[in-house]
């Protein structure tokens, strides 16, 4: 499975962005998927995860109520809707698939997309 994140960019505090993670390869629709972020000088951080059938979701406390993860298995795509963005949300966001340890460890990882929150 190959994953490619997109949708990052520069946004002002309080603004919104929607990230997409497009998957290629067989089996993606049967895998849980997740979003992680990595800010300069910090460890990689779990952001959100979703089960294969969208019934299960998990969020980091820092994004609860502001971010929403969703998926469209017909399009092999997972989304991360980010609202009320804060400067501390600035990071490179990457997607992952096929949980080994739900929701924090996955088998497949994609390239990231940079999100910058600044006025």
């Amino acid at each position: 499975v190959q994953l490619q994140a997109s949708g990052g960019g520069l946004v002002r505090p309080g603004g919104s962005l929607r990230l997409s993670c497009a998957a290629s390869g067989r089996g993606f629709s049967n895998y849980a998927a997740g979003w992680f972020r990595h800010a300069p000088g910090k460890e990689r951080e779990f952001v959100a995860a979703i089960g294969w059938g969208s019934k299960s979701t998990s969020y980091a406390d820092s994004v609860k109520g502001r971010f929403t993860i969703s998926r469209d298995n017909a399009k092999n795509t997972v989304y991360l809707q980010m609202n009320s963005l804060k400067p501390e949300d600035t990071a490179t966001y990457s997607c992952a698939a096929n949980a080994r340890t739900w929701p924090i460890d996955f088998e497949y990882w994609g390239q990231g997309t940079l999100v910058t929150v600044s006025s």
Side-chain angles (χ1 to χ4, degrees):
V1 173
Q2 294 184 322
L3 305 168
Q4 181 62 56
S6 62
L10 173 63
V11 62
R12 293 188 177 185
S16 298
L17 279 177
R18 188 176 82 154
L19 305 183
S20 299
C21 174
S24 60
R26 299 180 64 180
F28 178 76
S29 61
N30 295 319
Y31 296 153
W35 285 96
F36 292 74
R37 64 187 182 188
H38 194 180
K42 295 184 178 181
E43 297 288 324
R44 185 176 66 194
E45 177 187 20
F46 164 74
V47 176
I50 187 167
W52 67 270
S54 301
K55 291 183 178 180
S56 298
T57 57
S58 181
Y59 295 92
D61 288 342
S62 58
V63 307
K64 278 181 182 176
R66 300 188 298 123
F67 291 11
T68 302
I69 189 170
S70 62
R71 69 190 297 163
D72 184 341
N73 285 339
K75 295 182 179 180
N76 273 3
T77 302
V78 176
Y79 304 98
L80 185 69
Q81 178 66 43
M82 307 186 294
N83 299 329
S84 302
L85 283 161
K86 305 175 182 179
E88 51 263 43
D89 294 319
T90 295
T92 297
Y93 285 71
S94 301
C95 54
N98 197 19
R100 293 187 293 199
T101 304
W102 170 267
I104 60 172
D105 186 28
F106 289 78
E107 180 177 0
Y108 304 109
W109 295 85
Q111 297 286 344
T113 185
L114 177 62
V115 172
T116 303
V117 184
S118 175
S119 56

